[in-house]
Amino acid sequence: MVQQVSDFFEDFGFIGMFIHSFIDAIIFPIPAFFTQVSLSLINPQSAILLATVGYIACLLGTPIGYLIGHKLGEPILHKFLKKKWIDKATDSIHRNGEAAILIGAFTPIPFKVFTILSGCFHFSIWKLIGYAAIGRAFKFYIVGISFYLFGQASEEFITNYLTYIMGGIAIILLGLFYIKRKFGKGKKQSVEKQKKGNRKIVWKEG
């Protein structure tokens, strides 16, 4: 099925890349990654332009996925996507929405899960678009640049190792968000203690 979908969009070239990436951000279950790789294999010299087309289309589709989640809610996800993807994304957004969106933008979990769930949970649409812009740029352009520089030799790297690299980056980002969170809590507690101490001093002086 994945191959058939890629072959279909591949026939339309850049337009096919745009359409696939656009609907990928909304509800389509098969990622635009496969069409990007297929088209990049055909003409590696156009791989960066192809990545740009896919990237722009994805950003245009992101707010539409958000609105679908906002209006129709979670049931539509269960109709089109795997439960394990939905459960992972839901847990991530509940724990730390910002980190979940950024990491989800370039991990193997389909991004439409995050766009729709962001709408379901009323996550900021501007933050969603901002983090999508960062994460999706990484995902599209690492493929585009690899094919542009190394041609068809990049296929094995992209198909076999890219997922592991992105997974490693996701772990690093999670660690950074965790440190930031702990530091923020510690700073907040320190400020609150200082305020309490100041109130006690004022009360004694009074």
Side-chain angles (χ1 to χ4, degrees):
M1 182 179 176
V2 170
Q3 188 59 50
Q4 288 176 341
V5 168
S6 296
D7 290 343
F8 174 79
F9 286 112
E10 183 184 304
D11 291 338
F12 295 93
F14 285 98
I15 295 174
M17 182 72 234
F18 184 92
I19 294 171
H20 193 175
S21 185
F22 182 76
I23 60 177
D24 175 29
I26 301 171
I27 196 62
F28 198 66
I30 298 173
F33 167 81
F34 297 103
T35 297
Q36 184 185 7
V37 170
S38 296
L39 287 171
S40 296
L41 276 169
I42 294 171
N43 186 6
Q45 293 303 309
S46 66
I48 293 179
L49 180 57
L50 194 69
T52 303
V53 170
Y55 176 62
I56 293 171
C58 174
L59 292 186
L60 291 174
T62 294
I64 298 175
Y66 179 93
L67 290 174
I68 289 174
H70 187 70
K71 297 294 183 182
L72 301 178
E74 200 171 341
I76 196 168
L77 283 172
H78 289 282
K79 188 174 181 180
F80 290 98
L81 299 169
K82 293 181 180 179
K83 186 177 182 298
K84 65 176 183 178
W85 289 341
I86 298 168
D87 290 342
K88 285 181 179 179
T90 301
D91 182 61
S92 296
I93 289 177
H94 276 307
R95 288 187 180 190
N96 194 325
E98 294 182 0
I101 298 300
L102 177 59
I103 294 167
F106 62 86
T107 57
I109 300 174
F111 189 59
K112 77 279 293 173
V113 177
F114 292 94
T115 61
I116 294 174
L117 283 178
S118 294
C120 291
F121 300 136
H122 306 287
F123 187 80
S124 168
I125 189 171
W126 299 113
K127 285 186 177 180
L128 170 66
I129 294 171
Y131 286 120
I134 297 169
R136 300 305 274 178
F138 180 87
K139 189 164 187 178
F140 276 105
Y141 282 105
I142 194 172
V143 174
I145 292 170
S146 295
F147 274 105
Y148 181 79
L149 293 177
F150 305 108
Q152 295 180 348
S154 300
E155 183 183 11
E156 184 179 355
F157 164 74
I158 294 296
T159 55
N160 294 335
Y161 302 109
L162 186 60
T163 298
Y164 298 107
I165 292 171
M166 290 183 174
I169 294 172
I171 292 170
I172 293 170
L173 286 174
L174 279 172
L176 291 174
F177 271 104
Y178 177 78
I179 292 169
K180 179 186 174 185
R181 203 164 157 189
K182 293 295 269 185
F183 179 77
K185 283 183 179 179
K187 192 174 180 180
K188 187 177 178 181
Q189 288 173 355
S190 177
V191 170
E192 287 177 355
K193 284 181 181 179
Q194 190 174 1
K195 285 181 179 179
K196 286 180 181 178
N198 291 338
R199 282 197 294 267
K200 285 180 181 180
I201 292 170
V202 171
W203 182 78
K204 285 180 181 179
E205 288 178 351

